[in-house]
Each structure stands twice: as C-alpha cells, then as structure tokens.
C-alpha cells in the first residue's frame, strides 16, 4: 500500500445503510484492492457491488494515490462521482471535496489526482477503454 501523507481520509466516509443494517464506512474497515485493469495507475477500489452482481451496474469507493490516473474512456451509461476527500482533475475540470459530477452516456473523459483523493463512484454500465 502506498503512503497517503497529504490527505487524511479519516472521517471522510458517510454512514452506509444496507437493508436493515447500518454502520459507518470507516477507512480501516474497507478492503481496498489494486485496480489492475483499464490502464489505471496508482489507484485502489473497495467494491460496494460489482458489475457481475448487478447486470453491469457497479458502485465503489475509489482511492487514487498521489499521481494516480485513468486514461481516456467512453461511458456506455451514466457515471456519478461524489468526491469524498481531495481533488481530481478531469476532462471537465477540477472536482474537489463535496463536488458531484454526472457523466452522461457516450461522454469521454480521463482523470488524475496530483495529491490523491477518495471518491464514491456509481456506474450505470461498464466503461469502454479507448486505445
């Protein structure tokens, strides 16, 4: 795991309500795994639900380390990003803590984070990488 000295993610996560259960999403309880596909660099994911569990839809908490990025990709459905901590540079500008961005189907964007960030991302459908 890489060091995130510049950003303190503690306290950034909201309460998660799942069915009749509720608990806080504490950063130490999240099970992050490296994102090893789609050309992403220096990023990890904690899946809330995966595409194979929901007919292509997905939701996750994504953590970009300093210098993390994702190459240009096409959205085949809507994508909703809520920035929990830090900031991300996207094709549409900078997204900072508490910003919400909606990417429409057929939109193309790339993203990166200079200092690192933590975001909740919901995908209606998987993205398609552009090569």
């Amino acid at each position: 795991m890489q060091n995130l000295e510049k950003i303190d993610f503690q306290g950034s996560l909201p309460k998660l309500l799942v069915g009749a259960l509720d608990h806080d999403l504490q950063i130490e309880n999240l099970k992050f795994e490296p994102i090893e596909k789609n050309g992403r660099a220096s990023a990890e994911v904690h899946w809330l639900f995966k595409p194979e569990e929901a007919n292509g839809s997905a939701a996750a908490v994504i953590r970009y380390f300093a210098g993390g990025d994702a190459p240009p990709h096409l959205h085949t459905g809507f994508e909703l990003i809520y920035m929990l901590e830090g900031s991300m540079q996207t094709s549409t500008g900078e997204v900072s803590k508490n910003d919400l961005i909606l990417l429409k189907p057929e939109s193309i964007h790339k993203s990166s984070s200079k200092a690192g960030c933590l975001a909740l991302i919901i995908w209606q459908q998987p993205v398609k990488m552009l090569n």
Side-chain angles (χ1 to χ4, degrees):
M1 178 186 272
Q2 295 180 349
N3 191 355
L4 290 175
E5 295 175 350
K6 294 187 179 183
I7 297 199
D8 177 16
F9 294 130
Q10 200 63 28
S12 299
L13 296 166
K15 182 175 279 192
L16 174 66
L17 302 173
V18 181
L21 304 174
D22 67 302
H23 62 281
D24 291 334
L25 279 174
Q26 298 297 324
I27 195 78
E28 64 271 7
N29 296 332
L30 299 183
K31 292 182 169 105
F32 284 100
E33 56 190 63
I35 300 175
E36 298 175 346
K37 62 179 187 173
N38 296 337
R40 289 185 194 260
S42 297
E44 301 182 309
V45 60
H46 169 82
W47 292 104
L48 298 171
F49 59 90
K50 295 181 178 184
E52 57 271 17
E53 299 171 325
N55 295 322
S57 297
V61 176
I62 300 280
R63 176 166 50 191
Y64 278 75
F65 296 105
D69 70 350
H73 52 276
L74 170 71
H75 291 272
T76 60
F78 287 98
E79 178 177 313
L80 187 65
I81 302 170
Y82 179 70
M83 191 61 55
L84 296 162
E85 197 65 56
S87 65
M88 175 187 292
Q89 293 70 40
T90 72
S91 303
T92 56
E94 185 160 336
V95 181
S96 300
K97 182 177 179 175
N98 292 325
D99 284 349
L100 184 65
I101 185 168
L102 176 65
L103 298 163
K104 295 181 178 183
E106 304 304 315
S107 65
I108 296 173
H109 88 122
K110 62 181 180 176
S111 58
S112 64
S113 182
K114 292 177 186 172
C117 65
L118 189 71
L120 170 66
I121 304 181
I122 302 166
W123 298 270
Q124 181 187 27
Q125 293 296 316
V127 299
K128 180 178 179 183
M129 299 312 297
L130 302 175
N131 293 339

